[in-house]
Amino acid sequence: MSNPIGVALLGCGTVGSEVLRLLTEQSTELAARVGAAVRLVGVAVRRPWRHPEVPAELLTTDAAELVGRDGVDVVIEVIGGIEPARPLLLAALRAGRGVVTANKALLAECGPELYAAADAAGADLYFEAAVAGAIPLLRPLRESLAGDRITRVTGIVNGTTNFILSAMDSSGAGYAETLEEAGRLGYAEADPTADVEGYDAASKAAILASLAFHTRVTSADVHREGIAEVSAADILAARKLGRTVKLLAICERVLDSAGTEWVSARVYPAMIPRSHPLATVGGAYNAVFVEADAAGALMFYGQGAGGAPTASAVLGDLVAVARNRVAGGYGPRESAYADLPVRPMGDTPTSYHISLEVLDRPGVLARVAQVFADHEVSIMAVRQTGRTPEHALSGNAGSGNAESGGVGSDNAGSGGAGATLVIVTHSAPDAALRSTVDKLAGLDVVRDVVSVMRVEGEVT
Ligand code: HSE
């Protein structure tokens, strides 16, 4: 056995307390796996009196002192947020300590700075728990797939929003009441902003894109839209098309017409076919679909949050870092050699589903189609559903939904009656699709834009 590996734990909340439990309960197995005893040196918390589970002699409120204390080999950070985690981890790395962190916001914002400090000191920086909790994902991207060419990563990486969208899909209920229920059941935090507005998923997308494409991608590079605007009408429209709505983190290589390769990283709710592997991911679960040239399609699935699942990933990293120290080396460095430019969202090819309530009279479909043509957006499919009586034209997606026609089924002589047009486009630059929708909304023959949502998982 080598000399013991000293561990400092920063934070002892939901994840930290589980890290502490696993460290204690599995100390014998951990020592055998590492080849050295793993010894907890201290636990830094803000309010020590709230932690009767931690031996008093280990507790401290001085995290900086703990990080610099003799005998600390590895610092585990589960505080979250940028401050004070950033200076603490920089100090740890500069002092040559290995760092294990679950802090996605910090990695997504300050990753290059942390990597530089780790490189300079020859220290380890591991962060498996930062994306998709317990799911082994970052190590497969960073190591197992290091010999392949990853083309696309599509993930459900936020459990809160997946719980809400899954519940909306099965109940037909609206966003606000479902969010309230998620809060009551403990699936949404008191302030759910980071989750429902997509910030959490955007941080994770930045980390995934950086690893997958060997390029520095920060959270500021990620286009972000949350789920607060997803309506029951959107969910219903998706259902009618054999799709479901998921908040996706999408990271892909995009080749433009000039042959330049770009990275696109984006987070938004999108309709995916119910047959897509990600469509079956319900409740608060996470899953990430990875496509690579040689490996083909891979799916990673499991619990993306929670104390014990996240602690599992933290402990896995701790074992890796401890083994590296016993062996006298360190693990993978930052790999950003590809340095691909980040594609602006407006130029990124996407596909849209658009549901419109229109007047049902000759020439309306032609007017609508002309708007698409004017923006060089190609239509993949059009369906006209139902003829809505004039008095029922109220912008409700559920109205007049009995199928009555197909492409070009304009009906003459309908007076003030209306119909619902459902249009799915081929892929086109996102800005062109946005402008198309804006223009459609202003047409006198369009009574209401009922639902607009991107579609993913299609062959276009
Ligand atoms: N709040 C996140 C989620 C878990 O809902 O998935 C931590 O990243």
Side-chain angles (χ1 to χ4, degrees):
M1 280 271 176
S2 301
N3 291 333
I5 300 290
V7 175
L9 178 60
L10 310 184
C12 198
T14 310
V15 177
S17 56
E18 285 299 311
V19 169
L20 185 67
R21 181 179 68 78
L22 293 176
L23 266 177
T24 310
E25 287 179 9
Q26 305 192 135
S27 63
T28 309
E29 285 88 344
L30 289 173
R33 290 170 198 169
V34 166
V38 178
R39 191 169 56 84
L40 191 60
V41 174
V43 181
V45 295
R46 271 188 302 170
R47 292 178 282 260
W49 60 92
R50 287 201 181 173
H51 299 279
E53 77 283 15
V54 184
E57 68 277 13
L58 293 181
L59 281 172
T60 176
T61 54
D62 191 345
E65 180 278 325
L66 175 59
V67 164
R69 200 182 290 178
D70 282 347
V72 171
D73 297 290
V74 185
V75 173
I76 297 177
E77 184 265 316
V78 284
I79 308 171
I82 307 295
E83 303 293 340
R86 177 180 159 274
L88 288 170
L89 294 194
L90 285 172
L93 292 166
R94 286 173 186 147
R97 324 284 198 223
V99 162
V100 173
T101 175
N103 194 329
K104 67 231 152 202
L106 182 63
L107 260 304
E109 216 166 284
C110 312
E113 187 184 18
L114 293 170
Y115 273 126
D119 268 357
D124 269 328
L125 174 60
Y126 277 59
F127 45 92
E128 183 65 66
V131 181
I135 306 172
L137 175 64
L138 304 191
R139 199 159 301 135
L141 292 179
R142 195 149 93 144
E143 298 180 34
S144 319
L145 291 166
D148 207 337
R149 185 177 180 278
I150 297 170
T151 52
R152 191 176 158 102
V153 178
T154 313
I156 295 171
V157 292
N158 183 270
T160 305
T161 48
N162 201 52
F163 177 87
I164 293 170
L165 292 173
S166 302
M168 286 173 74
D169 184 70
S170 45
S171 70
Y175 169 74
E177 63 183 286
T178 311
L179 171 62
E180 205 179 297
E181 191 199 346
R184 254 199 323 272
L185 296 173
Y187 286 102
E189 303 207 15
D191 178 1
T193 310
D195 294 315
V196 300
E197 297 296 343
Y199 291 101
D200 175 80
S203 295
K204 293 166 179 172
I207 296 170
L208 291 172
S210 300
L211 293 180
F213 305 129
H214 305 274
T215 290
R216 285 180 175 171
V217 180
T218 67
S219 39
D221 295 320
V222 180
H223 174 85
R224 176 194 54 78
E225 294 171 34
I227 65 163
E229 305 298 320
V230 176
S231 65
D234 294 323
I235 301 281
L236 181 64
R239 187 170 269 286
K240 286 177 180 171
L241 291 168
R243 297 184 171 96
T244 186
V245 176
K246 296 291 186 189
L247 182 72
L248 299 180
I250 300 168
C251 311
E252 66 177 344
R253 291 177 190 269
V254 183
L255 200 61
D256 69 16
S257 52
T260 303
E261 196 170 38
W262 301 74
V263 165
S264 166
R266 48 199 206 262
V267 168
Y268 46 66
M271 295 181 178
I272 58 172
R274 286 188 179 268
S275 57
H276 193 285
L278 289 175
T280 61
V281 178
Y285 276 82
N286 281 194
V288 179
F289 194 70
V290 178
E291 293 160 75
D293 277 352
L298 304 162
M299 174 94 155
F300 299 83
Y301 171 85
Q303 295 189 67
T310 308
S312 163
V314 168
L315 264 286
D317 278 355
L318 172 62
V319 168
V321 174
R323 282 174 174 162
N324 292 342
R325 291 186 88 84
V326 168
Y330 45 83
R333 316 278 79 203
E334 181 186 28
S335 175
Y337 70 89
D339 198 22
L340 298 174
V342 177
R343 189 84 164 146
M345 186 62 195
D347 298 341
T348 301
T350 60
S351 305
Y352 275 35
H353 151 277
I354 303 163
S355 290
L356 304 171
E357 284 217 344
V358 296
L359 296 182
D360 194 2
R361 66 181 191 218
V364 169
L365 190 58
R367 297 265 315 274
V368 167
Q370 190 59 48
V371 174
F372 286 84
D374 291 345
H375 291 85
E376 297 192 37
V377 173
S378 173
I379 292 172
M380 185 173 74
V382 181
R383 192 172 62 181
Q384 178 175 318
T385 60
R387 175 183 284 187
T388 319
E390 189 170 13
H391 66 266
L393 282 173
S394 59
N396 176 352
S399 63
N401 58 7
E403 293 214 14
S404 70
V407 175
S409 63
D410 283 3
N411 294 302
S414 57
T420 302
L421 275 185
V422 177
I423 300 157
V424 179
T425 73
H426 283 295
S427 75
D430 197 74
L433 287 156
R434 280 268 149 219
S435 305
T436 303
V437 172
D438 290 346
K439 192 77 182 176
L440 288 170
L443 284 187
D444 56 358
V445 295
V446 172
R447 290 289 183 91
D448 190 28
V449 179
V450 179
S451 168
V452 177
M453 192 167 286
R454 297 184 184 87
V455 293
E456 294 286 342
E458 305 295 319
V459 178
T460 55

